[in-house]
Amino acid sequence: MNEIDIVRAVIEEGYQISPQAVELIKLSNSPENLLKYILATIDDCVFVIEPEHVDLQGFEASTTVSGRVANNVFTPVSEPTSEQTLKSANPDTMKVFDSALDVSEEPGLIPSVEPEVVSAVEVSDSNPEIELEILSSQGSNSDFDSDSIHDTVHGAAHSSFPNPLSPSVSPKNVERPASSFFGNTNPSSASKNALRIDSLFSNQKNSFSSSSRDEGVRYLPGRNPVAVLSDITGHSTCVGEYIQFVQYFRDRYSRLSEILRGRMNARPIESLKRRSFRRGSDGGTEELSIIGMVSDINTTTNGHKILSLEDPTGSFSVLIRNSDKELFELASRLLLDEVIGVTGSVTNDGNLMLATKLLQPDVPNSVQRRTGSHGKVVLISDVHVGSSQFLEDSWLDFLDFLKGESDSEEMQEIAAQVRYLVVAGDLVDGIGIYPDQEMELDILDVYEQYRKAAEYFREVPEHIHVIISPGNHDAVRQAEPQPALPERICADFPENVTFVGNPALVDLDGVQILIYHGRSIDDLVASVPGVSYQEPAGAVLEMLKRRHLAPTYGSRVSISPEKKDYFIIDPVPDIIHTGHVHTLGVQRYKNVLLVNSGTWQAQTEFQKRVNLMPMPARVPVVDLADFDVKILAFD
């Protein structure tokens, strides 16, 4: 019984197993019986089977092999401790591990692949327009002999894929290591005593279904009630261990793939490698569908796209032909780490899918907008109290508006209907956010900044319920999801202010608003053609199509790997409110209102250097009955 058989048996029972426990079982005189004994006696609370869970004495006392007690069950080996195991479970050291393991080499090992070969394409006879080509990581234009393609594709499909499983909670400037989203790893060819990292993905018993994981809803009754439906505050469990990254990506994949499965009949990736793909009488091949997380995107020498998709059972390569203009354009907008569905035919050797359809989770056309509420909600963000560029005069005019003290009767009428004020992050400018920030501050102490902000918010009428979410300038951890501001800060604010995390889903008397500061807009502007800072609602639309607020892991947004992915957009809200980029944008998409509010800060030196023109003192006011939007100017 080799390592792979042991890992598979453990996975089938819903557990995970450490490399050291695998080694203990494999080196015993009766590994199969020992494994059966462990699985039959293991405590249900155990998540990963470690060496201490291998009860050799109990096994010796209870097991008889061929009429005699099984003595000398194992051969002693030098084994790392559990603490060493945790320290060694670093995704930077991982290799891709194909759970199908259909190889002929030494058991437990994957054939090596030359590092320069990223992917290879085999083309079926029914697709003669596609040239045979090897995709080089250096963008080489070299061709290759078609006779070698069968031997190359399988290995290339499982070569190093970029992966965001960095052990750091703040993955800025971290090179994506070659490993699996779901903990799939390739045992090394080192000696038996060397530490090896085996599969950690598993369909484990503690796989955290949505229903078992959701924290309780926080109800805030009153004249203008609020229900906080989703918020990381008080529920963070992340300490940065490797297994938590695995759990995070499993949760993301599980929930987004569930949305996609409602619209397509998909099969596990592993099943594709076990099928015989023979042509029918018409010469065509059967079309199949898979759902996977995008682990790599490459362009061939002839301009086609190669996607590497991964699910908990394995990985697979998908070809998008540039002759299919609509499909190719969609593929050109895909992001790393998003979950998509693909339909297409598989080449004869079963190593490559020729895509005919791509499907994103998106919002269903049948989504219904909630009705029946009344009054208005004011959406603002990026106040930046404490900055020398803070527009205090405009802000005071805004406060006068909320108090019903505007000169305009129309403004007074609107103010009388305001029930809620929602702030999507960056309440203050903070300190130490960027180099030499102190040169642009009027208030140098961050707590003094918050005390000044609290002074402003005490002027907001008591009947208006204020909801404040943090941003990257606020005094909470930089890794998202961010918890609400600490109690030391909240204590200075009036009772009509509720603090939530970032992101947070709240219900305002029947209308659901998803609040997200919007830092991932930076990633979308950099990665998706046509998305710009001047039209930020377009970036929010891209989030909505992917049903995820921060699709790419390990870029500008530092993401904490919690057990629950708080960035998934589920359920679909009535309004998504973002900020961060200091520009105003409003857009509607399938009965969802997308609002990126502006700022209360004039152009900073940094914004001048990057040629970003802010849109300060513009306030979107949304009618909760019909979602009509008015933009009020206070400049």
Side-chain angles (χ1 to χ4, degrees):
M1 192 175 193
N2 60 30
E3 296 99 325
I4 304 309
D5 294 331
I6 294 171
V7 170
R8 281 179 174 169
V10 170
I11 288 172
E12 288 174 0
E13 293 299 319
Y15 296 95
Q16 298 178 5
I17 188 166
S18 73
Q20 294 71 44
V22 170
E23 193 74 22
L24 275 177
I25 296 169
K26 192 184 80 165
L27 296 179
S28 71
N29 289 335
S30 182
E32 186 172 353
N33 290 329
L34 175 58
L35 181 58
K36 288 180 180 178
Y37 173 78
I38 294 169
L39 294 175
T41 59
I42 194 75
D43 193 315
D44 285 344
C45 296
V46 171
F47 184 87
V48 180
I49 298 175
E50 299 285 0
E52 58 263 30
H53 302 132
V54 181
D55 184 4
L56 297 172
Q57 292 182 348
F59 175 64
E60 291 175 359
S62 63
T63 305
T64 301
V65 180
S66 300
R68 61 186 175 83
V69 177
N71 293 318
N72 300 322
V73 173
F74 74 105
T75 302
V77 296
S78 175
E79 58 186 67
T81 64
S82 298
E83 182 179 358
Q84 289 171 326
T85 303
L86 286 175
K87 290 180 179 178
S88 301
N90 186 330
D92 285 332
T93 68
M94 303 299 156
K95 304 294 181 185
V96 172
F97 170 65
D98 171 20
S99 58
L101 291 171
D102 184 18
V103 298
S104 57
E105 278 75 15
E106 180 181 350
L109 299 181
I110 303 297
S112 61
V113 180
E114 291 301 321
E116 71 271 16
V117 177
V118 176
S119 179
V121 181
E122 172 160 357
V123 186
S124 66
D125 296 336
S126 60
N127 296 277
E129 73 276 13
I130 304 175
E131 300 81 354
L132 300 177
E133 49 189 321
I134 291 180
L135 174 64
S136 167
S137 59
Q138 286 82 24
S140 170
N141 292 321
S142 61
D143 297 324
F144 81 106
D145 191 328
S146 61
D147 293 338
S148 67
I149 196 163
H150 180 81
D151 298 328
T152 310
V153 171
H154 183 73
H158 300 92
S159 60
S160 298
F161 297 127
N163 184 2
L165 296 182
S166 164
S168 171
V169 174
S170 300
K172 292 181 181 179
N173 302 321
V174 174
E175 186 174 338
R176 294 163 67 88
S179 63
S180 165
F181 290 114
F182 307 102
N184 306 330
T185 59
N186 173 20
S188 69
S189 57
S191 65
K192 290 182 179 179
N193 292 339
L195 178 61
R196 295 202 302 257
I197 307 298
D198 285 296
S199 172
L200 289 175
F201 62 82
S202 98
N203 295 314
Q204 66 269 24
K205 230 169 248 195
N206 301 332
S207 59
F208 307 108
S209 65
S210 299
S211 59
S212 66
R213 187 178 39 201
D214 288 341
E215 62 277 3
V217 176
R218 181 160 56 116
Y219 293 101
L220 303 168
R223 176 179 173 183
N224 297 316
V226 172
V228 182
L229 306 179
S230 177
D231 182 3
I232 186 64
T233 305
H235 301 283
S236 177
T237 59
C238 175
V239 294
E241 293 180 346
Y242 169 69
I243 190 62
Q244 294 181 313
F245 290 86
V246 176
Q247 292 170 344
Y248 171 80
F249 279 100
R250 286 192 59 87
D251 181 74
R252 177 191 288 201
Y253 175 82
S254 176
R255 292 164 63 192
L256 291 178
S257 63
E258 184 178 351
I259 295 172
L260 286 165
R261 283 193 176 89
R263 305 172 205 168
M264 66 190 309
N265 184 21
R267 63 178 64 240
I269 286 177
E270 183 182 21
S271 68
L272 300 184
K273 302 170 185 176
R274 297 178 177 178
R275 289 175 58 93
S276 176
F277 298 96
R278 297 181 178 177
R279 300 183 185 281
S281 57
D282 60 353
T285 55
E286 176 188 5
E287 282 203 337
L288 305 171
S289 297
I290 58 174
I291 296 173
M293 189 174 289
V294 180
S295 62
D296 201 7
I297 304 173
N298 284 290
T299 303
T300 71
T301 54
N302 289 309
H304 307 302
K305 291 284 185 184
I306 293 282
L307 309 179
S308 295
L309 297 188
E310 187 172 339
D311 74 2
T313 71
S315 59
F316 210 76
S317 295
V318 176
L319 174 70
I320 313 293
R321 292 161 289 187
N322 55 18
S323 58
D324 190 336
K325 300 299 183 184
E326 185 176 347
L327 194 66
F328 189 82
E329 182 179 353
L330 178 57
S332 299
R333 301 175 69 84
L334 292 178
L335 299 173
L336 292 174
D337 311 336
E338 68 171 292
V339 177
I340 62 172
V342 180
T343 298
S345 58
V346 179
T347 54
N348 290 340
D349 61 1
N351 289 323
L352 180 72
M353 175 176 283
L354 309 177
T356 58
K357 182 179 180 181
L358 295 181
L359 188 64
Q360 292 177 301
D362 211 333
V363 177
N365 294 325
S366 58
V367 65
Q368 297 295 316
R369 187 171 62 189
R370 295 169 182 82
T371 58
S373 191
H374 66 282
K376 300 185 185 298
V377 56
V378 176
L379 305 177
I380 65 171
S381 67
D382 299 275
V383 185
H384 290 279
V385 173
S387 169
S388 59
Q389 300 300 316
F390 172 58
L391 302 174
E392 185 175 36
D393 291 341
S394 296
W395 176 257
L396 294 176
D397 288 343
F398 170 65
L399 293 178
D400 288 342
F401 155 73
L402 293 177
K403 292 184 288 186
E405 299 176 359
S406 299
D407 296 333
S408 166
E409 290 185 7
E410 181 183 3
M411 296 281 275
Q412 292 176 14
E413 183 180 342
I414 295 173
Q417 301 176 62
V418 173
R419 300 177 62 194
Y420 300 97
L421 169 62
V422 181
V423 184
D426 285 1
L427 179 61
V428 300
D429 204 51
I431 182 69
I433 307 300
Y434 55 87
D436 300 323
Q437 184 186 12
E438 63 275 9
M439 304 299 293
E440 297 185 42
L441 292 176
D442 280 344
I443 304 176
L444 294 175
D445 183 277
V446 68
Y447 293 106
E448 286 296 329
Q449 292 178 8
Y450 280 109
R451 280 190 281 272
K452 184 63 176 180
E455 179 183 322
Y456 288 137
F457 276 87
R458 282 194 289 270
E459 296 189 41
V460 176
E462 292 182 359
H463 72 273
I464 297 178
H465 199 144
V466 182
I467 299 98
I468 298 178
S469 177
N472 58 297
H473 280 252
D474 284 299
V476 292
R477 70 181 188 187
Q478 285 294 292
E480 298 179 1
Q482 296 173 300
L485 291 171
E487 180 58 33
R488 174 181 176 181
I489 291 171
C490 299
D492 292 329
F493 286 77
E495 293 184 358
N496 62 327
V497 176
T498 295
F499 293 90
V500 297
N502 170 47
L505 178 64
V506 299
D507 184 294
L508 307 184
D509 197 15
V511 173
Q512 290 188 5
I513 298 184
L514 179 58
I515 310 167
Y516 176 53
H517 180 59
R519 197 170 186 187
S520 67
I521 294 175
D522 294 333
D523 292 335
L524 292 164
V525 169
S527 305
V528 180
V531 176
S532 69
Y533 287 117
Q534 296 306 316
E535 297 182 2
V540 184
L541 174 58
E542 296 297 329
M543 300 177 197
L544 192 55
K545 288 181 178 179
R546 293 162 176 81
R547 297 291 290 274
H548 202 278
L549 295 171
T552 300
Y553 194 99
S555 190
R556 290 170 175 80
V557 183
S558 302
I559 297 178
S560 169
E562 303 291 341
K563 291 178 180 178
K564 171 184 174 180
D565 187 348
Y566 285 84
F567 297 94
I568 291 177
I569 305 175
D570 187 32
V572 179
D574 300 296
I575 303 170
I576 300 181
H577 175 208
T578 56
H580 182 61
V581 297
H582 293 207
T583 52
L584 179 67
V586 177
Q587 192 168 335
R588 299 179 192 275
Y589 179 72
K590 295 184 178 180
N591 282 334
V592 182
L593 178 63
L594 316 176
V595 178
N596 187 277
S597 50
T599 182
W600 297 92
Q601 184 183 39
Q603 189 180 40
T604 64
E605 289 300 320
F606 171 76
Q607 290 169 346
K608 290 177 182 177
R609 289 197 298 270
V610 298
N611 197 30
L612 176 62
M613 289 298 299
M615 299 178 66
R618 300 287 196 278
V619 177
V621 179
V622 181
D623 193 310
L624 295 174
D626 58 12
F627 297 93
D628 181 54
V629 182
K630 290 186 180 297
I631 307 297
L632 307 182
F634 294 93
D635 55 353

